[in-house]
Amino acid sequence: GGALVPPSVSRLRGGALVPPSVSLLSGMMGGAVGYAVAFPIDTINTRIQLAQPLLTTEAVDPYTEIVDLYSGVSATVVGSALTKGSVFLAYGALQHVFHSDGSPEILALAAAFAGAGAGAAASFVVTPVERVKLVMQSQPAADASAAACAARLAREEGVGGLLGHGLGATCARDIPAYAIEFVVYELLKAHILAAALLPPPLVPLVGGAVAGAACWVPTYPLDVIKTHVQAGKGDGFAACARRLHA
């Protein structure tokens, strides 16, 4: 047979590219649900990266412990819907530029360029959302709500500080992360479908899980640096990296 033509993450059945509105809504729904489920794990991850106690309050019962781990969840779920929606919107739009119906190698290169571009574009949305999230996770008693946290940061650092504190670190993490994630997802999805290894409805679940793990393993050190940059007030990316390495 001829060359394998992997179906794209942003393609409808039959080969047509998905409309941008569908990419946006799909990303928003996935981002909101995913973060709502995984938020306590994300909070624990943040506090481990910052070498903080896993519980920042004197928890006397399971309910208090859960509330502590969910500090800042409501705004983060909304923010995650925006960030994931922007990623999928940018990726879908860039596929119109980079998409290919050629060999797997060409498709992988196209997915890498589109994924990297999506990561760069989405970083402008991700940066302020994760800045507020990280401050609330690491300092849950400092602000009554995410809105209060954002207002305080804007007063202390200016609107530019709120929107751009950690932008370079976010780009350094998300550009390679999304390039890797979409390449792995596209190629794995194509292989599974071509070999009929799984029922089609399970392919996005399995492919997304493997692609997510594949992108986070090599970029996790960048995420640690980003966490320290955005949870603090001083060090830039390079200075923070040197301090952590020392």
Side-chain angles (χ1 to χ4, degrees):
L4 178 64
V5 182
S8 165
V9 69
S10 293
R11 289 179 184 272
L12 296 165
R13 185 177 300 176
L17 288 170
V18 169
S21 60
V22 175
S23 295
L24 176 63
L25 291 175
S26 299
M28 291 180 70
M29 292 178 63
V33 173
Y35 247 105
V37 172
F39 192 82
I41 298 174
D42 184 70
T43 299
I44 291 171
N45 177 60
T46 295
R47 292 175 183 171
I48 289 175
Q49 288 180 344
L50 295 172
Q52 292 182 340
L54 297 187
L55 295 175
T56 59
T57 61
E58 292 296 330
V60 294
D61 57 74
Y63 176 77
T64 305
E65 295 177 359
I66 293 172
V67 169
D68 181 64
L69 292 177
Y70 267 99
S71 178
V73 65
S74 58
T76 302
V77 168
V78 175
S80 296
L82 295 176
T83 59
K84 293 301 182 182
S86 64
V87 168
F88 276 80
L89 177 63
Y91 184 73
L94 287 169
Q95 278 199 320
H96 286 79
V97 178
F98 295 116
H99 81 276
S100 171
D101 291 330
S103 67
E105 292 80 10
I106 297 299
L107 179 90
L109 185 62
F113 276 113
S123 292
F124 291 92
V125 179
V126 173
T127 298
V129 169
E130 295 206 351
R131 168 73 164 142
V132 173
K133 173 182 78 77
L134 288 168
V135 170
M136 291 203 69
Q137 286 177 328
S138 60
Q139 307 167 33
D143 302 285
S145 66
C149 179
R152 176 175 63 83
L153 293 174
R155 287 195 305 269
E156 295 176 355
E157 303 178 12
V159 175
L162 172 63
L163 298 179
H165 188 110
L167 177 60
T170 303
C171 287
R173 181 197 68 179
D174 284 0
I175 290 174
Y178 282 115
I180 295 168
E181 181 172 10
F182 281 115
V183 168
V184 172
Y185 178 83
E186 295 283 11
L187 295 181
L188 183 60
K189 179 183 177 183
H191 176 71
I192 292 174
L193 288 176
L197 299 177
L198 290 171
L202 293 180
V203 174
L205 175 65
V206 174
V210 174
C215 81
W216 272 110
V217 169
T219 60
Y220 188 77
L222 299 173
D223 184 62
V224 175
I225 297 171
K226 174 190 167 297
T227 295
H228 279 261
V229 169
Q230 289 199 296
K233 295 182 179 180
D235 290 350
F237 185 86
C240 187
R242 287 194 295 268
R243 176 170 57 80
L244 291 172
H245 184 264

